[in-house]
Amino acid sequence: VHNQELFRGAHDAACLLGHITLEPGGPECDCGKRGCLAAVATDITFIQSIWPDISKRAVQMTVAEREKLVKKGLSLAMSGHANAHAALETLTRHLGVAVANAVSTFDPRTVFIGGTLIEVAPDLAIDMIRREAMRHIWQESSGVEIRPLLHYEDFTLHGATGLVLSEPYRALQKEIVSARTVRSSVTAKLHSST
């Protein structure tokens, strides 16, 4: 959001941070490119890094199934399991670098991060992401807040609804402003002629 409006860019594709490249030549993304944030830093990549034998099945899992495995993976990481710890470090490093890139590009006051890992362990995940991001953020932007976006699906639904409704509302708002301007102009002319 910029100046109380959705920032869309010239091609309605602005701020698609899931498709910034973090690993050139990395895994293929759904968009067809390689190494996108969406291909290297998700709950699915976290699960696949810990349990490579269920890699193909992870993509078809429900959110509840993935949450269960993310919780199990976090528990393993905290108990010193090498693969789980490395997967958590890699995931939060990628997210931290992506946040730093977004902050360097847009200079926001606050960055919200959502997803399964954030839902499962918001304090731990945000702390790790924040530490990584701060290693890459310019001193001038170091006051940025990095906060969890909980209930991400609800937020997405509200955001999509707002996007659908914003265009007709914006046109109506312009008509109202135009009518008020005309009314003010007529009122001013009436007062000046008396």
Side-chain angles (χ1 to χ4, degrees):
V1 179
H2 178 69
N3 290 333
Q4 299 180 345
E5 289 192 21
L6 289 173
F7 180 68
R8 297 181 182 179
H11 305 97
D12 284 340
C15 302
L16 292 178
L17 298 179
H19 297 289
I20 61 172
T21 304
L22 287 180
E23 279 187 19
E28 187 172 348
C29 180
D30 291 340
C31 74
K33 292 183 358 184
R34 294 196 161 276
C36 294
L37 176 64
V40 300
T42 66
D43 55 352
I44 293 171
T45 59
F46 178 68
I47 292 166
Q48 291 171 334
S49 296
I50 301 169
W51 299 284
D53 54 314
I54 62 168
S55 281
K56 293 189 189 310
R57 215 181 89 228
V59 177
Q60 280 93 29
M61 288 181 184
T62 66
V63 172
E65 290 172 318
R66 291 195 315 259
E67 277 185 10
K68 186 176 176 181
L69 282 175
V70 168
K71 286 178 185 176
K72 185 176 178 182
L74 284 171
S75 179
L76 288 171
M78 296 299 105
S79 67
H81 185 278
N83 280 356
H85 188 270
L88 181 60
E89 288 286 331
T90 299
L91 176 61
T92 56
R93 183 180 68 249
H94 285 314
L95 290 170
V97 169
V99 167
N101 287 335
V103 169
S104 294
T105 303
F106 301 107
D107 191 27
R109 287 187 186 101
T110 308
V111 174
F112 290 93
I113 304 172
T116 306
L117 178 65
I118 305 300
E119 293 287 339
V120 170
D123 294 335
L124 172 70
I126 292 297
D127 183 57
M128 293 179 76
I129 293 165
R130 183 183 295 116
R131 276 189 276 136
E132 184 64 33
M134 291 305 158
R135 293 180 55 220
H136 306 284
I137 290 175
W138 287 35
Q139 182 64 31
E140 291 80 7
S141 299
S142 64
V144 65
E145 282 188 75
I146 301 171
R147 299 176 53 191
L149 177 62
L150 301 174
H151 312 294
Y152 177 76
E153 288 80 16
D154 294 342
F155 177 80
T156 303
L157 179 61
H158 290 298
T161 303
L163 185 59
V164 168
L165 296 175
S166 70
E167 287 306 315
Y169 177 73
R170 186 177 296 130
L172 178 61
Q173 193 175 26
K174 285 179 182 176
E175 286 180 34
I176 291 169
V177 168
S178 178
R180 285 182 185 156
T181 304
V182 168
R183 187 176 54 210
S184 295
S185 176
V186 169
T187 303
K189 285 181 184 176
L190 288 174
H191 286 299
S192 67
S193 64
T194 57

